[in-house]
mmCIF file with all atom_site columns, all heavy atoms in Angstrom:
data_model
loop_
_atom_site.group_PDB
_atom_site.id
_atom_site.type_symbol
_atom_site.label_atom_id
_atom_site.label_alt_id
_atom_site.label_comp_id
_atom_site.label_asym_id
_atom_site.label_entity_id
_atom_site.label_seq_id
_atom_site.pdbx_PDB_ins_code
_atom_site.Cartn_x
_atom_site.Cartn_y
_atom_site.Cartn_z
_atom_site.occupancy
_atom_site.B_iso_or_equiv
_atom_site.pdbx_formal_charge
_atom_site.auth_seq_id
_atom_site.auth_comp_id
_atom_site.auth_asym_id
_atom_site.auth_atom_id
_atom_site.pdbx_PDB_model_num
ATOM 1   N N   . MET H 1 158 ? 80.990 103.265 114.579 1.00 64.00 ? 168 MET H N   1
ATOM 2   C CA  . MET H 1 158 ? 81.121 103.168 113.043 1.00 64.00 ? 168 MET H CA  1
ATOM 3   C C   . MET H 1 158 ? 81.466 104.522 112.436 1.00 64.00 ? 168 MET H C   1
ATOM 4   O O   . MET H 1 158 ? 81.519 104.622 111.225 1.00 64.00 ? 168 MET H O   1
ATOM 5   C CB  . MET H 1 158 ? 79.725 102.783 112.534 1.00 64.00 ? 168 MET H CB  1
ATOM 6   C CG  . MET H 1 158 ? 79.228 101.405 113.004 1.00 64.00 ? 168 MET H CG  1
ATOM 7   S SD  . MET H 1 158 ? 80.297 100.100 112.451 1.00 64.00 ? 168 MET H SD  1
ATOM 8   C CE  . MET H 1 158 ? 79.782 100.050 110.764 1.00 64.00 ? 168 MET H CE  1
ATOM 9   N N   . CYS H 1 159 ? 81.808 105.530 113.277 1.00 71.00 ? 169 CYS H N   1
ATOM 10  C CA  . CYS H 1 159 ? 82.125 106.879 112.723 1.00 71.00 ? 169 CYS H CA  1
ATOM 11  C C   . CYS H 1 159 ? 83.583 107.204 113.098 1.00 71.00 ? 169 CYS H C   1
ATOM 12  O O   . CYS H 1 159 ? 84.005 106.994 114.281 1.00 71.00 ? 169 CYS H O   1
ATOM 13  C CB  . CYS H 1 159 ? 81.224 107.894 113.316 1.00 71.00 ? 169 CYS H CB  1
ATOM 14  S SG  . CYS H 1 159 ? 81.670 109.606 113.079 1.00 71.00 ? 169 CYS H SG  1
ATOM 15  N N   . ALA H 1 160 ? 84.372 107.738 112.166 1.00 68.00 ? 170 ALA H N   1
ATOM 16  C CA  . ALA H 1 160 ? 85.766 108.032 112.497 1.00 68.00 ? 170 ALA H CA  1
ATOM 17  C C   . ALA H 1 160 ? 85.914 109.079 113.592 1.00 68.00 ? 170 ALA H C   1
ATOM 18  O O   . ALA H 1 160 ? 86.787 108.934 114.430 1.00 68.00 ? 170 ALA H O   1
ATOM 19  C CB  . ALA H 1 160 ? 86.442 108.537 111.175 1.00 68.00 ? 170 ALA H CB  1
ATOM 20  N N   . VAL H 1 161 ? 85.041 110.057 113.620 1.00 71.00 ? 171 VAL H N   1
ATOM 21  C CA  . VAL H 1 161 ? 85.096 111.059 114.635 1.00 71.00 ? 171 VAL H CA  1
ATOM 22  C C   . VAL H 1 161 ? 84.887 110.493 115.997 1.00 71.00 ? 171 VAL H C   1
ATOM 23  O O   . VAL H 1 161 ? 85.610 110.760 116.994 1.00 71.00 ? 171 VAL H O   1
ATOM 24  C CB  . VAL H 1 161 ? 84.224 112.250 114.370 1.00 71.00 ? 171 VAL H CB  1
ATOM 25  C CG1 . VAL H 1 161 ? 84.180 113.248 115.482 1.00 71.00 ? 171 VAL H CG1 1
ATOM 26  C CG2 . VAL H 1 161 ? 84.509 112.937 113.010 1.00 71.00 ? 171 VAL H CG2 1
ATOM 27  N N   . PHE H 1 162 ? 83.836 109.709 116.108 1.00 72.00 ? 172 PHE H N   1
ATOM 28  C CA  . PHE H 1 162 ? 83.495 109.059 117.430 1.00 72.00 ? 172 PHE H CA  1
ATOM 29  C C   . PHE H 1 162 ? 84.526 108.012 117.772 1.00 72.00 ? 172 PHE H C   1
ATOM 30  O O   . PHE H 1 162 ? 84.830 107.805 118.997 1.00 72.00 ? 172 PHE H O   1
ATOM 31  C CB  . PHE H 1 162 ? 82.089 108.460 117.388 1.00 72.00 ? 172 PHE H CB  1
ATOM 32  C CG  . PHE H 1 162 ? 80.977 109.503 117.368 1.00 72.00 ? 172 PHE H CG  1
ATOM 33  C CD1 . PHE H 1 162 ? 79.963 109.423 116.397 1.00 72.00 ? 172 PHE H CD1 1
ATOM 34  C CD2 . PHE H 1 162 ? 81.042 110.597 118.183 1.00 72.00 ? 172 PHE H CD2 1
ATOM 35  C CE1 . PHE H 1 162 ? 78.965 110.411 116.357 1.00 72.00 ? 172 PHE H CE1 1
ATOM 36  C CE2 . PHE H 1 162 ? 80.036 111.594 118.093 1.00 72.00 ? 172 PHE H CE2 1
ATOM 37  C CZ  . PHE H 1 162 ? 79.001 111.491 117.179 1.00 72.00 ? 172 PHE H CZ  1
ATOM 38  N N   . SER H 1 163 ? 85.046 107.349 116.784 1.00 75.00 ? 173 SER H N   1
ATOM 39  C CA  . SER H 1 163 ? 86.123 106.302 117.095 1.00 75.00 ? 173 SER H CA  1
ATOM 40  C C   . SER H 1 163 ? 87.363 107.022 117.670 1.00 75.00 ? 173 SER H C   1
ATOM 41  O O   . SER H 1 163 ? 87.949 106.536 118.627 1.00 75.00 ? 173 SER H O   1
ATOM 42  C CB  . SER H 1 163 ? 86.501 105.669 115.745 1.00 75.00 ? 173 SER H CB  1
ATOM 43  O OG  . SER H 1 163 ? 85.463 104.798 115.283 1.00 75.00 ? 173 SER H OG  1
ATOM 44  N N   . GLU H 1 164 ? 87.694 108.168 117.134 1.00 77.00 ? 174 GLU H N   1
ATOM 45  C CA  . GLU H 1 164 ? 88.840 108.945 117.669 1.00 77.00 ? 174 GLU H CA  1
ATOM 46  C C   . GLU H 1 164 ? 88.563 109.343 119.133 1.00 77.00 ? 174 GLU H C   1
ATOM 47  O O   . GLU H 1 164 ? 89.445 109.271 120.008 1.00 77.00 ? 174 GLU H O   1
ATOM 48  C CB  . GLU H 1 164 ? 89.093 110.147 116.865 1.00 77.00 ? 174 GLU H CB  1
ATOM 49  C CG  . GLU H 1 164 ? 90.408 110.891 117.163 1.00 77.00 ? 174 GLU H CG  1
ATOM 50  C CD  . GLU H 1 164 ? 90.664 112.088 116.283 1.00 77.00 ? 174 GLU H CD  1
ATOM 51  O OE1 . GLU H 1 164 ? 89.729 112.599 115.669 1.00 77.00 ? 174 GLU H OE1 1
ATOM 52  O OE2 . GLU H 1 164 ? 91.839 112.452 116.217 1.00 77.00 ? 174 GLU H OE2 1
ATOM 53  N N   . SER H 1 165 ? 87.299 109.665 119.456 1.00 82.00 ? 175 SER H N   1
ATOM 54  C CA  . SER H 1 165 ? 86.928 109.921 120.765 1.00 82.00 ? 175 SER H CA  1
ATOM 55  C C   . SER H 1 165 ? 87.022 108.767 121.722 1.00 82.00 ? 175 SER H C   1
ATOM 56  O O   . SER H 1 165 ? 87.489 108.872 122.881 1.00 82.00 ? 175 SER H O   1
ATOM 57  C CB  . SER H 1 165 ? 85.472 110.475 120.862 1.00 82.00 ? 175 SER H CB  1
ATOM 58  O OG  . SER H 1 165 ? 85.301 111.712 120.097 1.00 82.00 ? 175 SER H OG  1
ATOM 59  N N   . GLU H 1 166 ? 86.712 107.570 121.160 1.00 84.00 ? 176 GLU H N   1
ATOM 60  C CA  . GLU H 1 166 ? 86.932 106.359 121.876 1.00 84.00 ? 176 GLU H CA  1
ATOM 61  C C   . GLU H 1 166 ? 88.327 106.105 122.202 1.00 84.00 ? 176 GLU H C   1
ATOM 62  O O   . GLU H 1 166 ? 88.724 105.643 123.279 1.00 84.00 ? 176 GLU H O   1
ATOM 63  C CB  . GLU H 1 166 ? 86.386 105.200 121.102 1.00 84.00 ? 176 GLU H CB  1
ATOM 64  C CG  . GLU H 1 166 ? 84.909 104.961 121.156 1.00 84.00 ? 176 GLU H CG  1
ATOM 65  C CD  . GLU H 1 166 ? 84.439 103.588 120.628 1.00 84.00 ? 176 GLU H CD  1
ATOM 66  O OE1 . GLU H 1 166 ? 84.629 102.568 121.326 1.00 84.00 ? 176 GLU H OE1 1
ATOM 67  O OE2 . GLU H 1 166 ? 83.909 103.540 119.486 1.00 84.00 ? 176 GLU H OE2 1
ATOM 68  N N   . VAL H 1 167 ? 89.280 106.365 121.246 1.00 84.00 ? 177 VAL H N   1
ATOM 69  C CA  . VAL H 1 167 ? 90.663 106.213 121.435 1.00 84.00 ? 177 VAL H CA  1
ATOM 70  C C   . VAL H 1 167 ? 91.151 107.100 122.627 1.00 84.00 ? 177 VAL H C   1
ATOM 71  O O   . VAL H 1 167 ? 91.888 106.684 123.513 1.00 84.00 ? 177 VAL H O   1
ATOM 72  C CB  . VAL H 1 167 ? 91.452 106.576 120.160 1.00 84.00 ? 177 VAL H CB  1
ATOM 73  C CG1 . VAL H 1 167 ? 92.961 106.702 120.418 1.00 84.00 ? 177 VAL H CG1 1
ATOM 74  C CG2 . VAL H 1 167 ? 91.209 105.494 119.080 1.00 84.00 ? 177 VAL H CG2 1
ATOM 75  N N   . VAL H 1 168 ? 90.723 108.341 122.621 1.00 84.00 ? 178 VAL H N   1
ATOM 76  C CA  . VAL H 1 168 ? 91.069 109.302 123.695 1.00 84.00 ? 178 VAL H CA  1
ATOM 77  C C   . VAL H 1 168 ? 90.568 108.786 124.962 1.00 84.00 ? 178 VAL H C   1
ATOM 78  O O   . VAL H 1 168 ? 91.203 108.856 126.001 1.00 84.00 ? 178 VAL H O   1
ATOM 79  C CB  . VAL H 1 168 ? 90.538 110.701 123.331 1.00 84.00 ? 178 VAL H CB  1
ATOM 80  C CG1 . VAL H 1 168 ? 90.769 111.640 124.554 1.00 84.00 ? 178 VAL H CG1 1
ATOM 81  C CG2 . VAL H 1 168 ? 91.251 111.237 122.085 1.00 84.00 ? 178 VAL H CG2 1
ATOM 82  N N   . GLY H 1 169 ? 89.321 108.269 124.992 1.00 87.00 ? 179 GLY H N   1
ATOM 83  C CA  . GLY H 1 169 ? 88.708 107.726 126.202 1.00 87.00 ? 179 GLY H CA  1
ATOM 84  C C   . GLY H 1 169 ? 89.522 106.545 126.784 1.00 87.00 ? 179 GLY H C   1
ATOM 85  O O   . GLY H 1 169 ? 89.764 106.507 128.001 1.00 87.00 ? 179 GLY H O   1
ATOM 86  N N   . LEU H 1 170 ? 89.990 105.678 125.893 1.00 89.00 ? 180 LEU H N   1
ATOM 87  C CA  . LEU H 1 170 ? 90.792 104.536 126.319 1.00 89.00 ? 180 LEU H CA  1
ATOM 88  C C   . LEU H 1 170 ? 92.127 105.010 126.936 1.00 89.00 ? 180 LEU H C   1
ATOM 89  O O   . LEU H 1 170 ? 92.631 104.445 127.882 1.00 89.00 ? 180 LEU H O   1
ATOM 90  C CB  . LEU H 1 170 ? 91.071 103.540 125.146 1.00 89.00 ? 180 LEU H CB  1
ATOM 91  C CG  . LEU H 1 170 ? 89.809 102.761 124.683 1.00 89.00 ? 180 LEU H CG  1
ATOM 92  C CD1 . LEU H 1 170 ? 90.053 102.135 123.311 1.00 89.00 ? 180 LEU H CD1 1
ATOM 93  C CD2 . LEU H 1 170 ? 89.465 101.717 125.708 1.00 89.00 ? 180 LEU H CD2 1
ATOM 94  N N   . MET H 1 171 ? 92.664 106.045 126.329 1.00 86.00 ? 181 MET H N   1
ATOM 95  C CA  . MET H 1 171 ? 93.943 106.601 126.826 1.00 86.00 ? 181 MET H CA  1
ATOM 96  C C   . MET H 1 171 ? 93.773 107.132 128.180 1.00 86.00 ? 181 MET H C   1
ATOM 97  O O   . MET H 1 171 ? 94.643 106.914 129.131 1.00 86.00 ? 181 MET H O   1
ATOM 98  C CB  . MET H 1 171 ? 94.492 107.675 125.897 1.00 86.00 ? 181 MET H CB  1
ATOM 99  C CG  . MET H 1 171 ? 94.925 107.196 124.457 1.00 86.00 ? 181 MET H CG  1
ATOM 100 S SD  . MET H 1 171 ? 95.176 108.533 123.345 1.00 86.00 ? 181 MET H SD  1
ATOM 101 C CE  . MET H 1 171 ? 96.457 109.467 124.039 1.00 86.00 ? 181 MET H CE  1
ATOM 102 N N   . THR H 1 172 ? 92.657 107.856 128.475 1.00 86.00 ? 182 THR H N   1
ATOM 103 C CA  . THR H 1 172 ? 92.442 108.463 129.769 1.00 86.00 ? 182 THR H CA  1
ATOM 104 C C   . THR H 1 172 ? 92.172 107.383 130.787 1.00 86.00 ? 182 THR H C   1
ATOM 105 O O   . THR H 1 172 ? 92.316 107.632 132.050 1.00 86.00 ? 182 THR H O   1
ATOM 106 C CB  . THR H 1 172 ? 91.284 109.449 129.744 1.00 86.00 ? 182 THR H CB  1
ATOM 107 O OG1 . THR H 1 172 ? 90.047 108.710 129.309 1.00 86.00 ? 182 THR H OG1 1
ATOM 108 C CG2 . THR H 1 172 ? 91.509 110.593 128.793 1.00 86.00 ? 182 THR H CG2 1
ATOM 109 N N   . LYS H 1 173 ? 91.705 106.187 130.398 1.00 88.00 ? 183 LYS H N   1
ATOM 110 C CA  . LYS H 1 173 ? 91.418 105.097 131.327 1.00 88.00 ? 183 LYS H CA  1
ATOM 111 C C   . LYS H 1 173 ? 92.725 104.241 131.597 1.00 88.00 ? 183 LYS H C   1
ATOM 112 O O   . LYS H 1 173 ? 92.732 103.339 132.327 1.00 88.00 ? 183 LYS H O   1
ATOM 113 C CB  . LYS H 1 173 ? 90.357 104.190 130.745 1.00 88.00 ? 183 LYS H CB  1
ATOM 114 C CG  . LYS H 1 173 ? 88.985 104.812 130.744 1.00 88.00 ? 183 LYS H CG  1
ATOM 115 C CD  . LYS H 1 173 ? 87.966 103.886 130.052 1.00 88.00 ? 183 LYS H CD  1
ATOM 116 C CE  . LYS H 1 173 ? 86.605 104.522 130.030 1.00 88.00 ? 183 LYS H CE  1
ATOM 117 N NZ  . LYS H 1 173 ? 85.665 103.731 129.279 1.00 88.00 ? 183 LYS H NZ  1
ATOM 118 N N   . GLY H 1 174 ? 93.831 104.595 130.951 1.00 87.00 ? 184 GLY H N   1
ATOM 119 C CA  . GLY H 1 174 ? 95.084 103.940 131.177 1.00 87.00 ? 184 GLY H CA  1
ATOM 120 C C   . GLY H 1 174 ? 95.399 102.740 130.331 1.00 87.00 ? 184 GLY H C   1
ATOM 121 O O   . GLY H 1 174 ? 96.287 101.954 130.672 1.00 87.00 ? 184 GLY H O   1
#
Side-chain angles (χ1 to χ4, degrees):
M168 299 295 288
C169 166
V171 175
F172 291 134
S173 292
E174 189 176 22
S175 298
E176 280 193 75
V177 167
V178 174
L180 289 167
M181 292 167 61
T182 61
K183 291 176 182 175

